[in-house]
Amino acid sequence: MSFSGKIKEELSRQICPSRAGQIAESAALICMCGAVAIDKNGMYSLKIHTENLSVARKCFTLFGKTYNIKTDVAVRRNQKKGTISYFVIVKAHYDSLRVLNEIHLLDSFGEIEEELDVDKNVLLSERSCRRAFLRGAFLAAGSMSDPEKSYHFEIACATNEKAEQIRQVMQSFSLDAKIVQRKKYHIVYLKEGTQVADALNVMEAHMALMEFENVRILKEMRNEVNRKVNCETANLNKTVSASVKQIEDIKFIQKKTGLDKLPDALKDIALARLNYPEASLKELGELVTPSVGKSGVNHRLRKLSEMADRLRPEEEIHD
């Protein structure tokens, strides 16, 4: 099962304890993946379509528990695409009207109209209702990438107005959601790990949140180890390169003038470097008598390098 599937499976089994929260969640499900039908006699019916069995089960449960309504369930298989569609249907006219009135989808004239402004929508006045609404929206049209690969949380909306509404709901929980258009859909998304974790917490997907955080911790640990290894490797390469250059300079001086002509301090450090090519500056300082610190060793090696640089032009002139 995909990570999105795990989240929806967990959310489908949660029922908000307050009736207001149940109404808010059912409103999101109906508005995101539902349809209102009016026949030639003006009779209403509701139909929710989903390809996720967990979502269909949640809709069936919500209609029964929240509105005490009996629903029909239909299943269709698309042989070409290899997909299964589930339809949760409220056939009774008065039951459909009752649901539409409860979720405030009918205006005073009986026309289908949704209040998309979060501040004006009475369904979203309570924080717990906004949580439930966001949960329903994700169940209906949300998805999330495998955290092992990337952090990406999104909800696909049919209109930009609906996307703005969901973004406002998410912003009320300090989630910095963005909107982008992809083909005919308007996508509300989060890409930062902490924000995705917060979104799971808002929806109360606690098991999914634990799994997500475990993956995130392991990834951060691996990245930290990789950074340290890369840093140590770079430092080692730098040390090795410096050591090779120092040995080349010392051998050049040895060939041109001999090391015996060097001052004792330079001679001692030159011999130490030749005898211990892999030693660090600190270790070289401890090999000479009297011992010197890293800065002292570095100063002497730099003197040797400068001496070699002065001798090289002379060699070119004689050649």
Side-chain angles (χ1 to χ4, degrees), residues 87-244:
F87 298 88
V88 181
I89 307 163
V90 180
K91 290 184 176 180
H93 171 70
Y94 291 107
D95 286 342
S96 299
L97 280 182
R98 184 154 59 88
V99 173
L100 292 173
N101 278 310
E102 290 266 21
I103 65 174
H104 298 274
L105 203 58
L106 290 178
D107 64 15
S108 57
F109 302 101
E111 299 292 332
I112 302 296
E113 184 179 13
E114 183 184 4
E115 177 54 74
L116 295 169
D117 190 312
V118 173
D119 294 330
K120 296 178 182 178
N121 195 322
V122 295
L123 288 177
L124 304 177
S125 58
E126 298 293 331
R127 189 174 176 85
S128 60
C129 292
R130 293 196 295 275
R131 285 182 185 272
F133 184 87
L134 190 58
R135 185 162 57 240
F138 183 84
L139 278 168
S143 65
M144 185 172 161
S145 63
D146 183 345
E148 288 280 6
K149 299 176 181 177
S150 64
Y151 304 142
H152 186 85
F153 173 103
E154 70 176 41
I155 297 175
C157 306
T159 66
N160 186 62
E161 290 76 16
K162 190 66 183 177
E164 286 288 352
Q165 181 194 40
I166 291 176
R167 178 164 68 172
Q168 286 179 41
V169 172
M170 294 175 75
Q171 286 176 338
S172 72
F173 293 98
S174 300
L175 298 173
D176 187 22
K178 302 290 192 301
I179 297 176
V180 66
Q181 187 165 1
R182 187 188 304 152
K183 296 182 180 179
K184 63 179 181 178
Y185 292 102
H186 299 265
I187 311 298
V188 187
Y189 70 91
L190 300 167
K191 292 186 74 70
E192 202 273 318
T194 303
Q195 292 275 298
V196 173
D198 289 344
L200 292 174
N201 187 49
V202 167
M203 296 189 303
E204 299 176 311
H206 300 307
M207 295 302 294
L209 174 60
M210 287 178 62
E211 182 177 345
F212 177 82
E213 289 289 39
N214 285 339
V215 171
R216 195 156 71 108
I217 290 168
L218 287 173
K219 285 178 71 174
E220 288 178 357
M221 287 177 63
R222 284 198 297 266
N223 291 338
E224 182 64 23
V225 169
N226 287 336
R227 280 194 293 270
K228 287 183 177 179
V229 169
N230 291 338
C231 183
E232 289 173 0
T233 301
N235 289 337
L236 180 60
N237 289 337
K238 184 178 178 181
T239 300
V240 170
S241 298
S243 177
V244 169

Side-chain angles (χ1 to χ4, degrees), residues 258-298:
L259 299 182
D260 291 335
K261 294 183 179 180
L262 294 174
D264 290 342
L266 294 183
K267 178 182 175 182
D268 289 346
I269 208 69
L271 290 172
R273 172 50 85 198
L274 289 176
N275 293 326
Y276 301 94
E278 296 180 359
S280 65
L281 295 182
K282 180 180 179 182
E283 290 167 340
L284 286 177
E286 293 170 350
L287 289 169
V288 298
T289 304
S291 62
V292 293
K294 288 170 60 177
S295 61
V297 173
N298 190 51

